[in-house]
Amino acid sequence: VDGQHSGNDEMVDIIKGLTAEPGTAVAEEYAICKANFRDLVELTMNGEDYTITDFDSEKFLSDFKKNLLDYAEYFPHDLPAAVDSEQLKFIGKEKDREHFRANMDAYLSQFTPSSPPIDQAKVDANFDIEQYEIFKKKFGIQTTAVISGDDSKANIDYFNPPEIVSNMSKQPETVEEDLATGGYPFEFSVKKPNPLITPSLKGGPLMGAIIEVTPELSTACEAVAAAKTLREKAEALQFLTIGQRNAHAAASSIVSLARKAGAPIRVVGGSLPGLDSIQEPGKGDVQTALEAMALGEDGSTRLNYFIQVYRASDFPVYEAYAVHRAKEPLSGPRQIVVTK
């Protein structure tokens, strides 16, 4: 979506909605980020690879235990809540010191409790992968209980993960089969990789590129093409407006990817130096486009398009404005309706 239109976020989102998966629409400013744009095109062509090649349950468990011990050290059991100990330092008038800690304890009681003492030996001995999996599922159970208000399976008013781990390391738990098998979509398992839930769509090889000529792009390309040396080309770009430079950079990204793939590049709506232009549409092309825009019995069309209504009955100037909009660059596939 070129710079004249990409400033409207809602417009870009609408165009994305009109584009069938795995395709998408990006603003001109995104195409300027050549690496990001290249990666997006490659993902669209080849799909995303969800294969997990370095799944390591023991690594997950060891990282968790390390984080647990670090957490317990930072928020020791003698703190009234899991907050920075700096908050318990008294800074105030001497007359307020007597009741400071009592007031702070009451205030901090609303926050997550601090960590109880963690016995590392028991954690290493008893808290294995099975226990870690059971522990993780408790978060789904707790979240469901809090959202639904059902306290039959969990205490919706109290949940302290370090305390749960401490208790499980002292007395390992077992879980019912229905809970062990999951029940929470997209839940990450530490025991084995989850099977693919979302298919990876592939767009196939890059077949070509079509560039719509805008006034800014035309001016930029002509200025660069007229320069002979690399220095002169750089100077030509320097004296262009920001919009013209952006248009040139975005088009260059598209051309680069197409040429790398050995795909043809076609220009519509004008001409650009060094690129092949598509001839002006004839009556047959217009008729084909109109037929593609025709509404079927189910309300669908072969070509998605916009309908713009200009109420000339309220503002007569809209009639002339509708004609102006129809002739502007990148007018796009749409039907313009003028009411009188």
Side-chain angles (χ1 to χ4, degrees):
V1 183
D2 84 307
Q4 300 177 36
H5 300 77
S6 62
N8 189 325
D9 294 335
E10 184 179 358
M11 179 68 175
V12 176
D13 287 338
I14 291 174
I15 296 177
K16 286 182 180 179
L18 294 176
T19 307
E21 293 287 347
T24 186
V26 298
E28 178 183 273
E29 291 77 11
Y30 187 91
I32 296 174
C33 303
K34 297 182 185 296
N36 293 346
F37 186 61
R38 178 198 62 222
D39 293 344
L40 177 63
V41 172
E42 289 181 354
L43 285 176
T44 303
M45 293 190 301
N46 304 320
E48 293 193 62
D49 184 5
Y50 294 105
T51 304
I52 299 178
T53 57
D54 56 349
F55 190 91
D56 188 346
S57 297
E58 292 299 331
K59 182 67 167 58
F60 298 151
L61 181 60
S62 62
D63 286 347
F64 172 77
K65 289 180 179 179
K66 181 180 183 304
N67 292 335
L68 171 68
L69 296 175
D70 290 343
Y71 183 92
E73 181 181 357
Y74 195 81
F75 301 116
H77 67 281
D78 55 351
L79 287 178
V83 297
D84 195 308
S85 59
E86 292 292 322
Q87 293 197 29
L88 296 177
K89 290 186 177 181
F90 177 73
I91 301 176
K93 297 181 179 180
E94 191 61 31
K95 65 182 182 65
D96 298 324
R97 181 184 295 276
E98 179 182 357
H99 303 291
F100 171 73
R101 185 56 188 261
N103 290 336
M104 286 299 297
D105 287 350
Y107 168 70
L108 294 175
S109 64
Q110 64 183 307
F111 294 93
T112 302
S114 57
S115 173
I118 301 296
D119 189 333
Q120 184 175 355
K122 289 186 177 181
V123 170
D124 290 338
N126 300 325
F127 198 82
D128 55 12
I129 291 294
E130 293 292 339
Q131 294 300 302
Y132 187 22
E133 183 83 346
I134 296 172
F135 168 75
K136 284 184 80 282
K137 291 186 182 297
K138 291 180 181 292
F139 285 86
I141 297 171
Q142 180 72 17
T143 302
T144 302
V146 171
I147 293 175
S148 64
D150 181 10
D151 57 359
S152 61
K153 294 185 178 180
N155 183 350
I156 61 177
D157 297 319
Y158 184 83
F159 186 71
N160 189 9
E163 183 178 329
I164 295 174
V165 176
S166 177
N167 294 335
M168 292 178 68
S169 64
K170 297 173 184 176
Q171 185 175 356
E173 297 183 9
T174 58
V175 67
E176 298 177 7
E177 183 62 26
D178 59 336
L179 292 179
T181 55
Y184 299 97
F186 304 103
E187 182 183 34
F188 174 76
S189 172
V190 296
K191 296 173 63 176
K192 59 182 179 180
N194 292 332
L196 295 183
I197 299 177
T198 304
S200 178
L201 300 179
K202 297 183 180 182
L206 197 155
M207 303 300 295
I210 301 175
I211 299 177
E212 168 78 26
V213 180
T214 64
E216 290 186 331
L217 177 58
S218 178
T219 301
C221 290
E222 289 175 0
V224 174
K228 303 303 180 183
T229 64
L230 184 62
R231 178 186 177 89
E232 290 175 346
K233 292 181 183 295
E235 291 176 344
L237 285 170
Q238 183 64 31
F239 287 99
L240 295 175
T241 65
I242 294 177
Q244 292 167 347
R245 286 201 298 270
N246 287 348
H248 184 272
S252 298
S253 292
I254 298 171
V255 170
S256 174
L257 288 175
R259 286 177 173 169
K260 182 180 179 181
I265 305 169
R266 298 292 183 265
V267 176
V268 296
S271 62
L272 295 177
L275 298 177
D276 296 331
S277 300
I278 296 177
Q279 63 183 8
E280 290 293 323
K283 291 183 178 180
D285 299 317
V286 175
Q287 184 61 35
T288 300
L290 291 176
E291 291 175 356
M293 295 168 70
L295 290 172
E297 294 182 357
D298 60 351
S300 64
T301 63
R302 289 192 293 120
L303 175 64
N304 290 321
Y305 61 94
F306 297 97
I307 294 180
Q308 290 186 318
V309 179
Y310 295 92
R311 305 187 185 281
S313 57
D314 298 331
F315 302 95
V317 71
Y318 275 2
E319 182 176 358
Y321 184 58
V323 175
H324 164 73
R325 291 298 303 273
K327 293 181 178 180
E328 69 178 349
L330 285 177
S331 59
R334 66 186 180 188
Q335 286 186 349
I336 294 179
V337 178
V338 181
T339 60
K340 295 187 176 181

